[in-house]
Amino acid sequence: GLPSCLLCLCIGTSVYCDDADLEHIPPLPPETTYLYARFNRIGMIQASDFTGLKKLKRIDLTSNFISWADADAFRLLPSLQELILPENRLTALPELPRSIVRLDARLNRIPSTGLRPEAFRDLKQLQFLHLSDNQLDYIPAPLPESLRSLHLQNNNIQTMHEDTFCNSQDHSQIRRALEDIRLDGNPINLSLFPNAYFCLPRLPTG
């Protein structure tokens, strides 16, 4: 009976608000597991927008005007696995919950200063980290062992530390999961860092 289910389409535990001229996140039913609010005019995400939504697994806010998300907007969502935020105006990433598996924040305006130090280190479930077409000037290491796909193409990355992907002190290390690294479209010369890739199953693209 929530007004958002008149404005949006509520089917089971999924809420579809695509192209509904929204300017903010509508109140959501407490059982919501999937939210699709693409192609709207949402400009900001507040911590109160998702309060109490303990079953929420996927949030897709592709192609809005989001320039700001409160630091705690997503951190307290215990079931959140996928956060899809491409084609917005973000200049900083909020804190993420430990349950996150996929983060897609392509085509925003995020500089490296918009990431908290070691932002991804403790995200032990994270498999897909897609931050292409932003304004990053370094690779956001350390990266969790769970990571399978890292897309950082079309940023401003110019250099790399030898320990970015592999532990330079442990040459027996094999990082089997991380098979997809894209660094093309950056001003970095990957051949200058030959010792940075020994543990990877495939070389980065770039």
Side-chain angles (χ1 to χ4, degrees):
L2 280 172
S4 53
C5 291
L6 301 174
L7 190 66
C8 307
L9 181 62
C10 298
I11 303 176
T13 58
S14 298
V15 179
Y16 298 90
C17 300
D18 290 350
D19 210 3
D21 225 20
L22 298 179
E23 294 186 4
H24 50 78
I25 305 287
L28 297 168
E31 300 296 304
T32 302
T33 52
Y34 300 97
L35 170 66
Y36 298 89
R38 299 168 290 198
F39 314 110
N40 285 290
R41 293 186 291 127
I42 299 166
M44 181 176 175
I45 301 169
Q46 297 177 300
S48 57
D49 287 340
F50 300 110
T51 301
L53 297 175
K54 292 186 164 52
K55 299 183 179 179
L56 194 56
K57 289 183 180 176
R58 181 185 175 105
I59 298 171
D60 190 340
L61 296 169
T62 300
S63 204
N64 276 277
F65 299 163
I66 300 165
S67 59
W68 176 257
D70 282 352
D72 282 347
F74 308 108
R75 184 177 66 87
L76 303 174
L77 297 173
S79 303
L80 189 66
Q81 296 178 3
E82 296 185 89
L83 182 57
I84 316 295
L85 298 168
E87 296 174 53
N88 278 286
R89 301 173 180 178
L90 285 168
T91 56
L93 267 188
E95 209 168 328
L96 299 167
R98 302 260 176 123
S99 55
I100 201 83
V101 174
R102 179 190 297 269
L103 173 67
D104 184 347
R106 292 170 294 126
L107 294 154
N108 276 278
R109 304 170 182 178
I110 304 167
S112 289
T113 52
L115 302 178
R116 288 179 309 103
E118 303 192 341
F120 306 110
R121 186 189 65 181
D122 295 327
L123 302 179
K124 306 297 187 191
Q125 312 293 321
L126 185 64
Q127 296 182 32
F128 303 93
L129 178 56
H130 294 170
L131 294 170
S132 55
D133 296 279
N134 276 286
Q135 297 169 15
L136 302 177
D137 50 26
Y138 60 81
I139 298 168
L143 298 162
E145 288 290 327
S146 55
L147 200 63
R148 292 169 54 188
S149 175
L150 176 67
H151 286 187
L152 296 173
Q153 62 268 38
N154 304 322
N155 276 282
N156 191 36
I157 297 166
Q158 300 180 41
T159 188
M160 184 192 310
H161 194 274
E162 284 197 351
D163 288 335
T164 296
F165 302 117
C166 308
N167 180 354
S168 60
Q169 306 300 313
D170 178 10
H171 278 263
S172 65
Q173 179 191 14
I174 300 176
R175 192 167 184 154
R176 297 186 196 283
L178 190 51
E179 289 201 337
D180 174 26
I181 302 171
R182 289 199 50 187
L183 290 166
D184 41 308
N186 282 284
I188 189 172
N189 181 348
L190 295 181
S191 64
L192 296 178
F193 311 95
N195 299 323
Y197 321 120
F198 67 84
C199 69
L200 298 174
R202 290 192 190 152
L203 288 172
T205 303

